[in-house]
Amino acid sequence: MTEPSSPVLPAPADAAAAEPCPRCGAGLTTDPRFAFWCPTCDWNVGPERPEPTRHERAAAARADRLHRELAAGTSPTARREWLLASAAATLVHLSTAALFLGSLALLVAGNTVQRCLGGVLLVFAVVLRPRFGRVPRGEGVLDREQAPALYGLADRVAAEVGAPRVDLIVLDDDFNASFGVVGLRRRAVLTLGLPLWEALDDQQRIALLGHEFGHRVNGDNRRSFWLGTAISTLATWYDLARPGRLHLGVRTLLVRVGEMIADLLLKALAWLLLQAVQLLDGLTSRAGQQAEYLADSLAARTAGTEAARGLLTTLLLRGSAEVALTRARSGGGRGPRIVRRRGVRSAETARTDAPNPDLLWERMREHLASIPAVERDRLLRWNTLDRTAVDGSHPPTHLRLALLGHGPEQPAAVRTGPEEAAAVAAEIAPHRARIAAALLAG
C-alpha cells in the first residue's frame, strides 16, 4: 500500500520575501533566529532525512490508516491484534519463568559446573524479571498536604474524564508529562515536566491533565502490566544480546574464548529479538495510538478544543524551549527579547549579571511567544514530512491536530480561576526555583 502524499499547507501570511529559493525561486523566510526555508516548496524545511526502514514505512502506513478510519468513524476495535499480542506476552513471561526455575534447579541439584551456570542464569532471570515500577521519592514529589490546590485541580480533571484520583504528583525538568501506575500497591503517579508546564497557559495545563488522566481510562493495552512488562523485557533481551553490550563480568565468564563465534551468535540472536520487539510493537501500536487519540479527545472535552490544540502545538516547540534554556545557562540569564530599531523588529538578548532562577521561566516564555507563525508552520510541516511524534507509541502530531479538527469545537468543562491558579503557582514556586537553578547550573 502506498503512503499518502503529505498535505500541502498554505504559505503563512508573515513569510516575508528575502533571497529567492534555490529550488523554486519563491522568497525564503527572513527571521535570522531560525532556519531559512521556503514555504512554497518546503526547501530546507528540516534536516536531510535518511531513507525510512521497512519497519518505519509499515508504522507510518498503520498510522495513516488508523487516522483515516477514526476520521471516518469506522475504526474497529483491534481485538485480533490484542489477542496475538497477549499470546506473545505470555510466551515472553513463560520464558522468563522457565529461565528462573531452570537456574534454581541447576543451583539445587547440579554439579559444580552446573551450579556456576545456574548462578549466571539466575542473574539473567533477575535482570529480565517483570518490573512493577518504583514509587518516586525525593525533592520533586508533592503530596496532598504540600499541594492541596494542585491536587484539587487534578481531582476535578480526573473526575471529568472518569479516572480515579491520582496518588502522587511529581515535578521534573523534562519538557513532557506522563502518567503511570507503579509499585506492588499500583499507585497512580502523574509526572509533570516543569518546562512544559511553564510553557502552557492555564487552560492548556488543564488539557495536559485531561490527556494524562485519559490514559487511565482509554484502554491502552500497552500500559497494562502484562503487555507493558513483556515489551520492556523483550527490549532488555535485545539490548543484552547486542554484541559489545554485554557487561564486563559476563565477558569475563566467557574468558574471551571463541569471542568471534559468540559475537556472531549474539548478532543472530539480537536480530531475532529485534524482529520479536517489532512484531509486538506492530501488534500493539494500533491500540496505543487509538488510546492517544482518545486521550486527546478527553483533553478537548475537559479544557476545550482550542486548549487541546494549543497543547499539541506547544509540544512541537520542545527544541525551541531547549534553545532558550541553553542560552540562559550559557549567557548568565540571557534570553531573547524583541526590540524595535528604526521601525524594524529584530532579535536581541537581554542579559543579567548572573544566572537568575526566577528569570529562567520568563525568558523561556518570552522566547516561545516570540516564535513567528512562519517558524511554527515550519515545525508542523517538518512533523508532517518526517513523521515525527512525541515517541514511537504516539501518532504523528499533525495527525492528532487534524483529528481534533474533524469534530465540533468543544467548550471547556473545567476552568481555573485567578485565585486557584495563584494557589497552584505558590505551591509549585519552590520547585520552580530549584529546577531552574539546576538547569542553569547545567
Side-chain angles (χ1 to χ4, degrees), residues 37 81 92 102 115 182 270 329 429:
W37 68 288
E81 289 85 351
V92 171
R115 288 176 178 173
V182 300
R329 181 188 306 123

Side-chain angles (χ1 to χ4, degrees), residues 3 52-62 222 274-283 285 392:
E3 295 183 31
T53 64
R54 176 180 59 83
H55 178 68
E56 290 170 337
R57 289 194 299 270
R62 287 196 301 269
R222 280 176 178 253
L274 178 61
Q275 305 312 304
V277 170
Q278 292 181 346
L279 174 63
L280 196 53
D281 176 73
L283 290 173
S285 64

Side-chain angles (χ1 to χ4, degrees), residues 220-233:
D220 187 354
N221 293 322
R222 280 176 178 253
R223 295 173 180 263
S224 67
F225 176 77
W226 195 249
L227 281 179
T229 53
I231 292 172
S232 64
T233 297

